Every structure is written in C-alpha cells, then in structure tokens.
Amino acid sequence: MRNAVWLGILLAAAVALPWAAEAAGQPATIGLATRILCLGIAAASLNLILGHGGMVSFGHAAYYGLGAYTVGILWEHFRLGEPLWGLIPGTNQLLITLPVSVLVSGVVAAAIGALSLRTTGVQFIMITLAFAQMLFFLFVGLKAYGGDDGLLIRRRNIVPGLDLREQDQLYWLCLGLLVAWLTLQWRIVGSRFGRVLEGIRQNERRMAAIGIATYRYKLAAFTIAGMGCGLAGALTANYLRFVSPDLMAWQKSGEIMVMVILGGVGTLLGPVIGAAALVGLEYALGGVTEHWQFFLGPILLAVVLFAPGGIMGLFRRG
Amino acid sequence: MALIVEQVLNGLQLGVTLFLLAAGLTLVFGIMGVINLAHGSLYMIGAFAAALVAQAAGSWWLGLLAGVAAAAITGMLIELVVLRRLYARNHLDQVLATFGLILFFNQGITILFGRQPLMVALPAGFQGSIEIWPGIPYPSFRLLVIAVGLLVAAGLWFLIQRTRAGMLVRAGATHREMVRALGVDVRLLYTLVFGLGALLAGLAGVMTGPIGNVQVGMGEQILILTFVVVVIGGIGSVRGALLGALLVGVVQTLLSGFVPGWLRQVMPGSEADALGAALSSMGVYVLMAVVLLWRPRGLFVPHA
C-alpha cells in the first residue's frame, strides 16, 4: 500500500515535470528528462534478463542501435522517396516505425539469443558482446546510411493527435511508453513465466531437473528484452533526430549495464532510477568541470564497495 | 608474395602484443575469478609512462623500464585498494567497479597530458629495416616486438610449468580452496599475479608506443580484442591465450590487408574501403562466435 502511494506521487511528479520546468525557466530539463526516460526503458529491458533471468548480456546496446537505425533508415527512404531493396517504402509515421523497430530488434535478438544461449557465464557475456560488435562494425561500414558519421533525421516522426516537435509532447509520449513497458514487465515477472525465469537464475540445473525446458524460457526472455531495448532506441532516434553506430558501441552496452547495477538489479524501478542517477550525475558534474568522469569513476566505485544492491538497496535498508 | 609475408609478420606482431595483454587477463580471470575491465588502463599507463620518460631522458630503454614499473605498481595498488574487496562479489559488481576505474584513469591521463596523442621515437639501433628474405625488407623494431613477445611467452611457460610459484598459480587456477587449505598465503599470491599481469600489460603498451599512437582510450580499443583472445583460448589457460592471440592477430591483419582490395574489384573504391574495413573488423568476432559455438569453453580448458 505504501509502495502504491509512493508510485502515485512519483508518477504525478513525472507527469508535471514539463510544466514545472517551464515555470522554473529551465526548459532544457525536459530534454534531459526525455533522455532519462529512453535510457530507462533500455535499462529496464536489460534488467529483465540480467536481474530476473541471470543472463549478463554485454551487447544490449545492439538492440538500442537497431531500434534507432530502423527509424533512421525508414526516414531516409521516406525522404529519398525510393523503397528499401525496391520493396519496402520508407515512412515517417510513428505508429509504423515504432512497431517495426520493436519487431526488427526482436527478430535479431531471437537469432543472437538462440546462438548465445548455448554458452553460460563469462563466455555468454563475451559472445553477446561479440555479436553486438559485429553489428556495430556493420553499421560503421554501411556508407549508404552515413557509416561512421551517422544519419540525420530532419523531422521527428508524425503521430495523429500529437506534435512531437513540441518537446513536452515527446516527453509525455516517452513517459507513457515507459510506464506501459514497466507495467508489462511487472506482469511478466509476476507470471508463471517470470517465476520460471527467477528459478533459472537461482538454479538452472534444478529447473531442468523438474522438467522445464530452460533454453526456451531464456530465449523468450532474451527476445522480449531485445524488443524493449528496440523501443527505447526508436524513441531515442526521435529525440536526438540523429542515429550513429555509437548508439550500439560496447561503451553504450556498458553504460546501460551500469545503470541497472547502479539503480538496483532485479527491482522494478531500479534501472530507471539508475538511468536518472547516471544522466543526472553526468549533467551535474559536467556543469562543474569538463573532467567530470574523473569524479564519476570513484563514485561508481564507492557504490559498488559500500552500497551493494545499488540505490534501491539503500532505500530498502533505510 | 612479399605482401603476404609482410602481413603475416604484422599479424604476428599484433598477436604477441595481444598475448602480453591476454596472459595477465586470463590468469587474473582464471585464478581470482575477476573480470578486470581496467586491464586496458594498465596498458595505457605503461605506454604513457614510457613515452614521458623516453622523452625526458632521451633513452627508449629507460622509458621501457619506467613504463613496465609504472604499470606493475599501479596494478598492485588497484589490487590492494579495490579488487581485493571484490573477489567474493559477483561479476556484475566487478564490471561496475572496474568500469569506474576506466573512467578515472582515462580522465586522469587527460588532465595530465591532454587529448593530443604522444609520439614516441623508435629506439636507437631499431630505426631501419632488415632484409629478412632477399627482396623483403621488414622494420627491425617490429621484429623486436615479435621477439620480445615470444621470449615472454617462453619465460611464462617456464615460470608456470617449472617453478614453485608457477605450481601455486596452476593449482590456484583449478583448486582454489585446496591451495588455501594447504596454508598458502593466497592474498600475497593474488597480489603478485595481478602485478605480473599488470607488468605484461604495461610492456605491451610500451612496445606499441613507437608503432601506434599513445593516447587516451588506446586501452579500451585493444581491451575488447584481448577479451576475445582470452575467451577463444579458454579462460585461465596461458597456452590458449598464446594460440588465441596469434590467431586473432593474424586473422585481423590479413582480413584488413586483403578484403578491401577484393571488394574494390566489385564496387567503387571508397565504398569498398569502408565496407572492407567493417567486414575485416567483424572477422575476429565471427571467429570468436564460431569457436564458442563449437567449444563453449574455449580451445583450451584448464582441467578443473
């Protein structure tokens, strides 16, 4: 009950943020908050496999980048007026680009997961990284879509009833999708599927012994996580109006993982709080000194050494 | 023909550099069970310390000593202050902590030296080329790198297979609890192994200095390749690290040497170069994925 009240207050504050930012004369905050929401979805999706399934994927940014590039490539073909491979017409309709991004990321995640899940432990960490690096270099080499330099999206996608050029409307869209994604993930974690996943994290051999085909459950979770991250990427592409291979670089995967650990592994809101903390710290320290990473590093270290369980862990103990 | 020989030698040179990094990483991985993302930072610190001393003292060899010492000392400090507390934690905490270390070291070096790459002159006596085969000259410094790498490999083999310390290292990799139970000072052993790994990483950085650029971020570029090597070779296996390093080095160099040329025959030059560079960069990851699908624990698995 207390949790529900807190969630309500938090949500109300999040909804009211654009008005507060305008009133305080800090409209730039809205953009910052939108970035947090996008990364929050990405981190939450990673948390599904990392926190609940015990699968440490070090290549999660691949799906982030794929989601973003789907929006970018569809825009590029829309702009040029020529279909992709002579078949698929480009579009700038968000109601099409978002589902396509989710679908593309999901299909690729299913393929990568099907191969990667044959390994476990450190090897799994490294093979997911390897696949992400392959995609990264593929997009670096695709000159047709900007290669290294990335691809500019002149206009944000169009949705009936919304004007995404207004930054507060984009913010509310992202907020709505974040809440929808968290709700979905909460339902998944609470379902039989989620219990099985939790069981696999704790002891995969035991789950297999009671007759559960663990590989299929892990693959399904891996695919769902990839789809969530694709959604986050598609929103990010709309926010930045720019996509580049950097979105799927291994540093990005590391960053998303850091958000999950910083916020609290295996908690519902932890990844979002981790995203807010990391982006907020970057912004706050970046305002003081250009060498903000010099201070962020030791802060992360301190979190690991003195606050296991991340920020959510602090709350729970207090 | 000359081109192929040259590319293979370049591949060997990249391979031994990777081996110097991978040997330390695989020992730390295998014995202490720690994922150390900051291993690349030690490589960077070695390169910077060597560049600085070489410039000030005018002797590349003094720089070599300084770089190796700086990396080893930094490595042991990291072990004492940070990693020692993380042995019992899960991989996630180790990733987060060492990620923090990377940020710290990269930015620290930026504060001290700026973003401009440092240039390191070739050591006296190794500026020219040697004709290794009639009509095939090859830079003598690169030959030195290969020789040093192979010497270190032989030295490591001797250390690990033929000495008492090496016996403890081997035992620690496979039967950690038993070694502890027999009364070996495992903490000291861990610090020394970590220091040795850091020293080798520093040596790799020093040897790369005159060939590549000494700059912030150089550690992360090569770190990922090093992980590929360690995983292909089998975690904890120094033999595997050597084989994996040479394999990755040669494959990477040959692909980036020849793929753009082949592509240029079927498509326009600039596109061929971009796609060729991308495909050859993907090559080692494809190699790793194939190895892992075939042998999920790598080529050599230390018997556990």
Side-chain angles (χ1 to χ4, degrees), chain A residues 7-237:
Chain A
L7 270 181
I9 293 173
L10 208 60
L11 187 62
V15 170
L17 185 125
W19 292 307
E22 297 280 2
Q26 299 276 343
T29 318
I30 306 174
L32 199 66
T34 311
R35 230 179 99 202
I36 291 174
L37 294 176
C38 295
L39 286 166
I41 299 178
S45 71
L46 176 63
N47 188 35
L48 178 69
I49 49 175
L50 192 150
H52 298 289
M55 290 170 263
V56 184
S57 164
F58 202 170
H60 209 58
Y63 318 110
Y64 192 63
L66 275 175
Y69 260 101
T70 308
V71 171
I73 289 172
L74 286 173
W75 159 264
E76 184 72 3
H77 286 278
F78 172 76
R79 182 180 70 88
L80 295 172
E82 53 185 47
L84 172 64
W85 301 317
L87 284 173
I88 308 163
T91 176
N92 67 341
Q93 294 289 332
L94 190 81
L95 291 180
I96 301 173
T97 57
L98 274 196
V100 172
S101 296
V102 171
L103 191 72
V104 169
S105 312
V107 169
V108 176
I112 291 179
L115 293 171
S116 305
L117 285 168
R118 295 170 56 170
T119 64
T120 54
V122 176
Q123 281 84 1
F124 179 78
I125 301 180
M126 291 302 148
I127 199 168
T128 48
L129 173 72
F131 280 117
Q133 288 292 98
M134 283 181 218
L135 284 173
F136 170 78
F137 286 117
L138 181 71
F139 278 96
V140 167
L142 278 182
K143 276 272 176 243
Y145 301 116
D148 227 355
D149 301 327
L151 190 63
L152 217 59
I153 303 170
R154 283 271 316 268
R155 287 260 171 90
R156 284 179 183 151
N157 285 167
I158 294 170
V159 209
L162 283 177
D163 183 2
L164 296 187
R165 276 178 295 177
E166 298 286 330
Q167 59 170 353
D168 43 3
Q169 301 211 11
L170 179 66
Y171 169 83
W172 281 315
L173 175 76
C174 292
L175 181 62
L177 286 169
L178 173 70
V179 171
W181 180 261
L182 287 180
T183 312
L184 175 75
Q185 208 164 302
W186 180 59
R187 295 292 300 267
I188 291 177
V189 170
S191 69
R192 179 181 177 277
F193 177 82
R195 306 318 302 164
V196 171
L197 210 58
E198 190 68 34
I200 291 173
R201 183 180 69 81
Q202 290 177 12
N203 193 331
E204 181 166 359
R205 199 178 285 182
R206 207 173 282 176
M207 293 309 276
I210 60 173
I212 285 167
T214 56
Y215 178 82
R216 276 186 230 161
Y217 281 87
K218 283 159 75 178
L219 184 56
F222 195 89
T223 309
I224 295 170
M227 293 166 94
C229 207
L231 173 70
L235 290 173
T236 305

Side-chain angles (χ1 to χ4, degrees), chain A residues 50 123 126 137 291 293 297 301 304, chain B residues 89 97 100 107 231 278 288 296:
Chain A
L50 192 150
Q123 281 84 1
M126 291 302 148
F137 286 117
H291 301 300
Q293 291 188 334
L301 210 57
V304 177
Chain B
R89 302 280 193 87
Q107 211 58 44
V231 170
M288 165 166 152

Side-chain angles (χ1 to χ4, degrees), chain B residues 59-140:
Chain B
S59 158
W60 186 81
W61 301 98
L62 277 181
L64 171 77
L65 280 182
V68 169
I73 291 169
T74 314
M76 287 195 272
L77 275 179
I78 292 178
E79 202 274 344
L80 283 172
V81 177
V82 180
L83 286 178
R84 177 163 282 193
R85 301 157 194 268
L86 295 174
Y87 291 143
R89 302 280 193 87
N90 59 21
H91 288 329
L92 280 181
D93 282 351
Q94 297 163 356
V95 166
L96 181 58
T98 49
F99 186 78
L101 283 176
I102 291 184
L103 296 182
F104 176 76
F105 282 121
N106 274 352
Q107 211 58 44
I109 293 278
T110 310
I111 293 172
L112 289 176
F113 296 93
R115 294 213 161 271
Q116 281 297 322
L118 294 182
M119 295 299 175
V120 183
L122 289 164
F126 288 93
Q127 276 128 343
S129 299
I130 293 175
E131 207 157 335
I132 46 170
W133 197 264
I136 305 177
Y138 194 75
S140 53

